Amino acid sequence: MTLTKQDYSAGLPPPSELGIAGMDSSRGKEESVLESLAGGDPFGSVEPVKKSSGRLIMHSMAMLGREFCYAVEAAFVTPVLLSVGLPKSLYSLVWLISPILGFVLQPVVGSASDHCTSGWGKRRPYILALGFLMLLGMALYLNGDMMVSALIPERGKQRTWAIVITMLGVVLFDFAADFIDGPIKAYLFDVCCHQDKEKGLHYHALFTGLGGALGYLTGAMDWGNSVLGRFLGSEFQVMFIIAALVFLICLTVHLCSIPEAPLRDDNTETKLLLKVDGSSKYGSIERVNNGYLKPKYVQTRMTVKCLLKALLSMPSHYRCLCVSHLIGWTAFLSNMLFFTDFMGQIVYHGNPYAPHNSTAYLTYERGVEIGCWGMCINAISSSLYSYLQKAFLPYIGLKGLYFIGYLLFGIGTGFIGLFPKVYSTLALCSLFGVMSSTLYTVPFNLIAEYHREEEVRGNIQHSEKGISEAPGRGKGIDCAALTCMVQLAQIVVGVGLGFLVSAAGSVIVVVICASAVALTGCCFVACFVRYVE
C-alpha cells in the first residue's frame, strides 16, 4: 500500500511541535517536517533559537547539585561503610558493581531517551527519574544504619542488614549519578544552537567545580556537635538533609530551564506504512522507503544485544574520541580515588593500620583532612578554568585545550610523585582542576562539532540530490557512548590499581601511573582524535 501525499500530510504533527516557524508556504512546512522526522531529531534541520545566558545557567544547575552530592559521598561514604562494619573483602565489590552496570546499560538508556515520546520531552523524564534514584540511594547509605535500627529489633540481624542497605545505597547512588550526565548533555544538545552548546558546556563545567567545592566545604564542617546534629542524631542525617535540599532545588531549576519539543510517535497509518530494511548501523539507523518519501533514515531502539555491535561499528573518529576519554578518566580517577590516602601515607608519613590512639594514625588522619582541602582546590580551579576556556578557545582551539589539559595533569602528578611535600602538592592540585574541566567540556564539544558537520553535510546532499545519504545519529546514544567510558575507567582503576599498590607496597605508584597514563593521552589526542576545522 502506498502512502499518498494527502494521507501523509494528515498524519503529520503540527509545525509548532517540531520547532518549525516562519515558513510561508505549506510546501515548505511539509518538507521541513519530513526532514525532521527522517532525521529522528525533533528540531530537524532548523537551528534552535539562541538562548539567554540566564537559561543556560539554569540548565547548568543540575551539574551543581549532582557534584555537591558526589562531594558528600566522597567525604562520608568511607566513614559510613566503616561504621556499619563492612568487611574489607567487600570494598572492591561496592565500587565495581555500579561502573559495570553503567558501562553495559548507559548506551541503552541513551538510546531509549532518543525515542522517548513523553509530552514533557525526550530527556527530562529520564533526568527526573534518575534524580529520584540519586536521592533514594543517598537516603539509604546515609540513613541505612538508623533505618535498620528502627525496623529490626534483633541486634544479631541489624549489622547484616545495615551492611546490605548501605551497600545498596552506594551502588544505587553511583549508578544514577553516573547515568544522569548523559541525558543532561543530550538535553543541552537538543535545545540549543551550536554556539549555545559550547557556552552551555562551559557553564556545566563551571557549576560542576562550584558544586564540588561547596560540597567539600560543607562536609568539612563539624555538624555532629551542631544544633541540627543533636536534633537529627548524627552528622550523616544533617548532610543528607542539606544535600537533598540542594539537589532538589538545582534539579527543579534545571527541569524548568528550557522547554523541550516532544517527539511524536503516532500509531497511525503513517507509521504502519514505513518499510524498514534489515541491518542496523551505529546509532541504530535504518533506511526507510515508501511510495511518497524519498529514502531517508529513522532510528530504532537499541538493546543490550546490539550494544557491542553498535560500539564496534561506530565511525573511527567517534571511536578515537571514546578511547581518548577512557585514557583521560583512567588517569584522573587513578589519582583522585587514592589522593587522600596518598596524602596521609606518603606526604604526612602516617599509618592507617596503626592503633587509632597512636601518633602514626592521628598523623594519617591529618593528612586525609589536608587531602580533602586539596580536592576542594581541585574543584575551585576546575570551575575557574572552565570560565577561562572560553577566552583560550579562539586562539588554541579544541585540540590545544585537549592537549594542554592532559599535559598539565601529567606533569603535575609527576612532580607530586617526585616531590611529595605538603605545600607543593596542594599548589599542584590546581592542575587537577584543569584536567577535570577538560574532561567535562572538550569531548562533548567535539561530539557537538561532529553532529554539526554531519547535519551540514546532510543538508547539502539533500539540497543537491533530494536525499540524505549520510545517516545521522541520536545525540542521546552518542553522549552515552562517551560517558560510559567513565564507568570503564572506574573498572580499570578498581581492578588494576589495587593490584599495583599491593605489588609495589606503596601508594606512590598511583600518582606515577596517573602521570604516565596522562602523558600517553597527550600523544593520543594530538595524533588520533579528529578535530573539525
Side-chain angles (χ1 to χ4, degrees):
M1 181 177 178
T2 301
L3 181 64
T4 66
K5 178 177 179 180
Q6 290 78 11
D7 292 335
Y8 191 84
S9 299
L12 291 173
S16 60
E17 295 186 6
L18 293 168
I20 301 170
M23 298 182 181
D24 297 329
S25 65
S26 59
R27 176 70 177 174
K29 291 181 179 179
E30 184 176 322
E31 288 178 353
S32 296
V33 173
L34 296 180
E35 186 174 346
S36 175
L37 180 62
D41 187 346
F43 295 101
S45 60
V46 179
E47 185 80 350
V49 178
K50 187 174 177 61
K51 304 299 186 295
S52 66
S53 296
R55 290 286 181 179
L56 295 175
I57 289 173
M58 290 173 65
H59 192 279
S60 304
M61 291 299 291
M63 303 305 294
L64 187 151
R66 171 180 175 264
E67 205 63 23
F68 187 96
C69 294
Y70 257 141
V72 170
E73 184 197 36
F76 286 95
V77 72
T78 300
V80 168
L81 291 172
L82 291 174
S83 68
V84 298
L86 180 72
K88 290 184 178 181
S89 60
L90 295 179
Y91 275 177
S92 60
L93 181 64
V94 172
W95 300 119
L96 285 178
I97 291 177
S98 176
I100 290 173
L101 289 175
F103 178 72
V104 173
L105 297 180
Q106 190 154 354
V108 180
V109 173
S111 178
S113 72
D114 281 335
H115 298 85
C116 179
T117 56
S118 168
W120 203 31
K122 293 196 296 183
R123 316 298 179 185
R124 289 188 290 180
Y126 284 87
I127 295 171
L128 179 62
L130 291 169
F132 172 77
L133 291 179
M134 280 182 61
L135 288 174
L136 178 60
M138 191 163 53
L140 291 177
Y141 82 76
L142 285 176
N143 303 286
D145 193 18
M146 181 186 68
M147 293 164 54
V148 169
S149 299
L151 295 175
I152 300 177
E154 297 90 348
R155 287 190 173 272
K157 295 181 178 180
Q158 284 182 355
R159 180 175 179 270
T160 300
W161 278 105
I163 292 174
V164 171
I165 295 298
T166 303
M167 287 180 62
L168 177 63
V170 173
V171 171
L172 187 61
F173 175 83
D174 282 339
F175 175 86
D178 289 341
F179 265 52
I180 202 171
D181 188 53
I184 289 174
K185 293 293 192 300
Y187 177 17
L188 176 72
F189 290 177
D190 284 343
V191 298
C192 291
C193 64
H194 183 72
Q195 291 77 11
D196 285 344
K197 290 174 187 177
E198 293 182 350
K199 190 175 180 181
L201 287 172
H202 288 304
Y203 280 133
H204 278 200
L206 175 68
F207 281 91
T208 295
L210 181 60
L214 292 175
Y216 289 125
L217 290 175
T218 305
M221 298 179 183
D222 184 10
W223 294 104
N225 294 321
S226 67
V227 175
L228 279 176
R230 290 191 293 269
F231 176 74
L232 294 174
S234 76
E235 62 179 342
F236 297 153
Q237 281 73 55
V238 176
M239 285 306 303
F240 169 71
I241 295 297
I242 294 174
L245 286 175
V246 170
F247 182 73
L248 282 173
I249 293 171
C250 292
L251 185 65
T252 302
V253 172
H254 168 77
L255 294 175
C256 296
S257 60
I258 305 173
E260 286 188 274
L263 178 67
R264 294 281 295 202
D265 188 18
D266 297 329
N267 294 316
T268 61
E269 185 179 13
T270 302
K271 184 178 178 181
L272 295 174
L273 294 173
L274 297 178
K275 299 177 182 178
V276 184
D277 291 341
S279 59
S280 295
K281 296 181 180 180
Y282 173 67
S284 60
I285 308 299
E286 295 186 344
R287 196 178 294 272
V288 179
N289 296 285
N290 59 45
Y292 173 70
L293 292 176
K294 295 181 179 180
K296 292 180 181 293
Y297 297 88
V298 294
Q299 293 175 311
T300 58
R301 296 181 186 276
M302 174 161 285
T303 63
V304 177
K305 182 180 179 180
C306 64
L307 169 61
L308 293 178
K309 292 181 180 179
L311 294 177
L312 291 174
S313 63
M314 64 169 56
S316 59
H317 54 284
Y318 281 89
R319 190 182 302 114
C320 288
L321 183 60
C322 286
V323 172
S324 70
H325 206 51
L326 172 63
I327 293 172
W329 274 104
T330 300
F332 186 71
L333 292 175
S334 297
N335 184 68
M336 298 307 293
L337 292 180
F338 291 86
F339 182 70
T340 53
D341 189 48
F342 172 81
M343 288 290 291
Q345 291 195 56
I346 304 301
V347 178
Y348 272 79
H349 308 289
N351 184 2
Y353 305 106
H356 286 197
N357 59 350
S358 66
T359 302
Y361 184 81
L362 295 177
T363 302
Y364 173 80
E365 279 198 326
R366 176 60 178 167
V368 170
E369 291 176 3
I370 299 300
C372 289
W373 283 105
M375 295 173 71
C376 183
I377 292 172
N378 154 62
I380 294 173
S381 66
S382 175
S383 183
L384 293 175
Y385 182 70
S386 63
Y387 183 78
L388 294 175
Q389 277 185 330
K390 293 188 294 183
F392 294 154
L393 184 60
Y395 300 100
I396 61 176
L398 290 175
K399 184 175 184 179
L401 289 175
Y402 215 3
F403 181 83
I404 288 174
Y406 281 58
L407 179 64
L408 291 180
F409 180 80
I411 293 174
T413 51
F415 273 109
I416 286 174
L418 294 173
F419 309 103
K421 304 299 180 182
V422 176
Y423 294 108
S424 62
T425 299
L426 290 176
L428 290 170
C429 283
S430 59
L431 299 182
F432 301 168
V434 174
M435 182 64 159
S436 174
S437 178
T438 299
L439 291 173
Y440 278 119
T441 55
V442 176
F444 292 98
N445 266 320
L446 288 171
I447 286 283
E449 292 281 0
Y450 296 162
H451 275 277
R452 185 191 188 197
E453 182 184 50
E454 291 167 359
E455 289 168 3
V456 171
R457 185 189 302 122
N459 290 340
I460 294 174
Q461 292 175 344
H462 182 272
S463 63
E464 291 178 350
K465 304 179 182 180
I467 177 175
S468 179
E469 296 183 358
R473 284 175 303 279
K475 299 179 179 68
I477 189 173
D478 279 344
C479 292
L482 189 62
T483 54
C484 76
M485 294 298 106
V486 181
Q487 279 80 48
L488 185 56
Q490 290 179 26
I491 296 170
V492 171
V493 171
V495 173
L497 274 188
F499 172 77
L500 287 177
V501 170
S502 299
S506 172
V507 292
I508 199 168
V509 71
V510 170
V511 293
I512 301 300
C513 286
S515 177
V517 173
L519 293 176
T520 302
C522 285
C523 301
F524 192 91
V525 300
C527 300
F528 297 101
V529 175
R530 186 170 72 84
Y531 302 89
V532 179
E533 297 296 335

